[in-house]
Amino acid sequence: MSQVSLPIRTAAASAVAALGLLGILPAAHAAPAVTVPAGQNLESVTVNDTAGVINEDRVREALEEVDFYEPTKVVVYTREGNYADNINTKTLLYARTAHPEWISQKPEDHGDYWADGYFIITLSLEGPDSGQVGTYFGEDRKVSDELMEKIHEAGYEDFKQARWSDGIIAVATEGASFMNRPWYKNPVVWVVTAAGGGVGGIVWGSVAKVRSNRRKKFADQLKTGTTHLTNVTMDLDTTELAARTLPTGSHHAADLERRFADFVASYRSSFTEQQELEAATKKERSSAQGVVRTENFLTAAQELDSTDDAIIAASALYTRSATWETAWRAQTAPLLEDLDQIPQLVKEAEAGTEAAGAALESFRHTAVDEAQFIGTELKAEVIDVDTALDRLAQLREQLTEKLEDFATAQIDAYAQNDDEKEDMRRKMRESRSSYSQQWRGGGSILDVTSPASMFWRVQAYNTGYSSGVSSVTSSREAANPPSSGISHGYSGGGGSFSGAGGSSRF
């Protein structure tokens, strides 16, 4: 480790003196400035991904570049949980059972604290984009509640987008910047030095971050849109040939033919837009208008990709080509995926939803049998393709109706007044609408030709309900604010454990 030269230390001390801070800072503690190389002081990384959501190699590689002030053992523990879980307790119980080394073995500590040198991150998943995050510290690594909140908040944006690995990396990186931070690196000490230009610096920093985020979103959307457009390009000849084989007199085929009429023009327009976006300047990529352009490009490319998949599948079905059975499985896949998720949906529901849950479960069994029967009749040519698709659409509409009934039961069970009920309904409508506008690929003809909001997917339902619960919870907490956003305590963990750390929701 290299020491900063005397002139720099003197300049730093002069700045503090000029602010009149020498009298309140520890005597004779001019910053012993040390430079910590990338990856310095990361002692180990342990990943216990019981939820199966983490890219372990990526997390390890990223953390190896993070600077820690003191040798630190980082632990990542993921789990599938429920809203009512106290993840502080869950983490403690898991440690006692599977990893006692996380708990202090010092006789004087009586097993009441986390082991020195440890920084433990727990991710507890309650839904596709909701859950809790907890951070736990050895007594020589603990931080204040205020800093712990900042550590958790660093991962919220990624967690809410189900970017679990990115969120873990963000939390670990933020934690490294606070644990055992030397006093002279606390921005509070130096904030007054910017008295003349500090506000401008803060504003500049905020603007720079906004622009950086825009550039990242611009790049991500352009990359994803380009992938979809490349798929379309590769299938272009096949799509055109398939469109020519669609029969007349079929309302489903007619819908696809109308879409194909605009397909080539939309493809050319998207191809031109892609080239212009790739040539965009840094300034354009940093602008709100640039992000909107990539959003529109991505949406158009997704629509093209889903449309050509549906046209190719329809051709296979109507012509009874060698791949027609694969094409039919693509039609039933969205329904069967939804039906598979119903048992878990009903199992985790609140008390008071039993009747609606039983109706949903009963429908699940009926719909699975009916979907199989439709396929059998289609194979035997007892029914034609249009009839099969119409009956499949009816099943998906009936599932949507059952989900609407179940949503009413869940909202009534959780919400405490009319305002909370309306808040939850609004969040569920927003999720349903947002999900229906996302890419609906895979070759499903019904997803391409039906109105976007006709079918309510179970994944969208789960996301919407979690969002509704989160919104109501936030409103309740705002009305009765806690002392901080961090939940402490290990109730139910046994003993008198009082290790540093806590959890919060995202």
Side-chain angles (χ1 to χ4, degrees):
M1 294 184 289
S2 59
Q3 289 194 333
V4 173
S5 63
L6 181 59
I8 294 178
R9 290 206 306 271
T10 303
S14 297
V16 176
L19 292 170
L21 293 176
L22 283 177
I24 63 172
L25 294 175
H29 284 288
V34 217
T35 301
V36 182
Q40 176 81 18
N41 287 328
L42 176 62
E43 195 168 313
S44 65
V45 177
T46 303
V47 178
N48 293 266
D49 184 23
T50 68
V53 295
I54 298 297
N55 182 334
E56 182 172 343
D57 290 340
R58 185 160 175 274
V59 169
R60 288 181 180 277
E61 183 179 348
L63 294 189
E64 286 173 0
E65 297 299 320
V66 176
D67 300 343
F68 291 82
Y69 293 115
E70 298 288 346
T72 301
K73 301 180 183 74
V74 177
V75 170
V76 177
Y77 165 46
T78 73
R79 62 185 297 275
E80 293 183 356
N82 297 306
Y83 187 86
D85 286 346
N86 178 340
I87 71 167
N88 305 332
T89 302
K90 297 292 185 181
T91 303
L92 173 60
L93 294 176
Y94 178 78
R96 283 177 170 164
T97 302
H99 289 279
E101 71 274 12
W102 298 355
I103 299 171
S104 177
Q105 305 300 313
K106 297 178 182 177
E108 64 270 25
D109 286 346
H110 304 290
D112 288 343
Y113 304 99
W114 298 110
D116 283 351
Y118 272 89
F119 174 33
I120 302 168
I121 304 170
T122 296
L123 177 63
S124 183
L125 305 182
E126 297 163 3
D129 58 358
S130 63
Q132 301 180 64
V133 59
T135 50
Y136 310 94
F137 310 84
E139 288 298 290
D140 60 344
R141 296 288 179 275
K142 61 185 179 181
V143 300
S144 67
D145 278 7
E146 179 184 3
L147 294 184
M148 205 184 312
E149 284 189 275
K150 291 181 178 180
I151 292 171
H152 292 190
E153 287 169 359
Y156 285 172
E157 182 176 350
D158 286 315
F159 290 149
K160 289 178 180 178
Q161 298 297 320
R163 297 192 293 257
W164 310 119
S165 297
D166 289 345
I168 290 294
I169 293 167
V171 169
T173 303
E174 191 78 352
S177 71
F178 292 135
M179 290 184 295
N180 302 93
R181 178 176 63 185
W183 66 265
Y184 57 86
K185 288 200 173 184
N186 190 327
V188 173
V189 174
W190 305 105
V191 70
V192 188
T193 63
V199 174
I202 292 171
V203 171
W204 182 89
S206 299
V207 171
K209 185 168 184 179
V210 168
R211 289 174 177 169
S212 175
N213 289 339
R214 285 174 180 168
R215 288 194 297 273
K216 184 178 185 302
K217 190 171 184 179
F218 183 106
D220 290 345
Q221 292 179 155
L222 175 57
K223 181 180 178 180
T224 305
T226 298
T227 299
H228 285 292
L229 197 60
T230 300
N231 293 339
V232 174
T233 301
M234 294 175 65
D235 292 339
L236 206 54
D237 292 341
T238 304
T239 304
E240 185 175 0
L241 181 61
R244 292 175 184 170
T245 67
L246 295 177
T248 57
S250 160
H251 59 279
H252 291 290
D255 284 342
L256 291 174
E257 282 183 315
R258 282 192 292 271
R259 290 176 178 273
F260 185 73
D262 299 324
F263 185 88
V264 175
S266 179
Y267 169 76
R268 288 173 178 166
S269 175
S270 294
F271 190 79
T272 300
E273 182 71 351
Q274 176 201 353
Q275 292 178 313
E276 292 180 0
L277 291 171
E278 287 178 343
T281 64
K282 182 177 180 180
K283 181 179 180 181
E284 291 169 332
R285 292 168 179 259
S286 303
S287 68
Q289 183 180 4
V291 172
V292 170
R293 281 187 67 184
T294 55
E295 286 175 351
N296 293 338
F297 165 70
L298 172 57
T299 299
Q302 287 175 331
E303 289 179 354
L304 287 168
D305 201 0
S306 58
T307 298
D308 72 354
D309 287 349
I311 290 173
I312 293 170
S315 174
L317 286 171
Y318 285 112
T319 62
R320 287 270 171 163
S321 74
T323 61
W324 83 266
E325 289 183 286
T326 300
W328 177 247
R329 283 195 292 273
Q331 309 314 305
T332 59
L335 173 66
L336 296 179
E337 288 171 4
D338 286 338
L339 295 175
D340 283 344
Q341 295 177 58
I342 286 176
Q344 190 67 23
L345 174 65
V346 172
K347 178 183 176 182
E348 295 179 352
E350 296 82 1
T353 63
E354 290 82 3
L360 197 53
E361 273 283 16
S362 176
F363 172 77
R364 180 177 74 89
H365 294 292
T366 301
V368 169
D369 291 342
E370 177 63 14
Q372 183 177 359
F373 185 61
I374 294 171
T376 300
E377 289 197 313
L378 181 62
K379 184 174 184 177
E381 299 188 48
V382 175
I383 58 175
D384 60 19
V385 175
D386 274 17
T387 301
L389 290 172
D390 287 342
R391 284 167 58 179
L392 189 61
Q394 289 175 0
L395 287 177
R396 294 185 66 180
E397 289 171 6
Q398 290 168 10
L399 173 59
T400 297
E401 292 172 0
K402 298 296 182 185
L403 286 173
E404 289 170 346
D405 292 341
F406 192 65
T408 298
Q410 280 205 293
I411 291 171
D412 287 344
Y414 188 82
Q416 297 176 352
N417 54 53
D418 289 342
D419 287 342
E420 289 187 352
K421 289 180 181 179
E422 179 53 35
D423 191 15
M424 294 186 72
R425 282 192 289 265
R426 177 174 55 82
K427 289 295 184 181
M428 296 186 82
R429 284 195 302 268
E430 289 174 356
S431 174
R432 179 175 175 178
S433 174
S434 175
Y435 188 88
S436 65
Q437 293 169 7
Q438 296 175 10
W439 181 51
R440 295 171 292 166
S444 171
I445 297 168
L446 294 176
D447 279 346
V448 169
T449 60
S450 302
S453 60
M454 178 175 288
F455 308 127
W456 197 355
R457 300 299 305 272
V458 173
Q459 182 178 343
Y461 180 100
N462 284 328
T463 301
Y465 181 72
S466 295
S467 179
V469 168
S470 178
S471 180
V472 167
T473 301
S474 296
S475 297
R476 291 174 183 174
E477 290 176 348
N480 301 283
S483 57
S484 77
I486 300 296
S487 297
H488 295 286
Y490 301 85
S491 59
S496 57
F497 193 84
S498 54
S503 58
S504 62
R505 296 190 176 278
F506 54 83

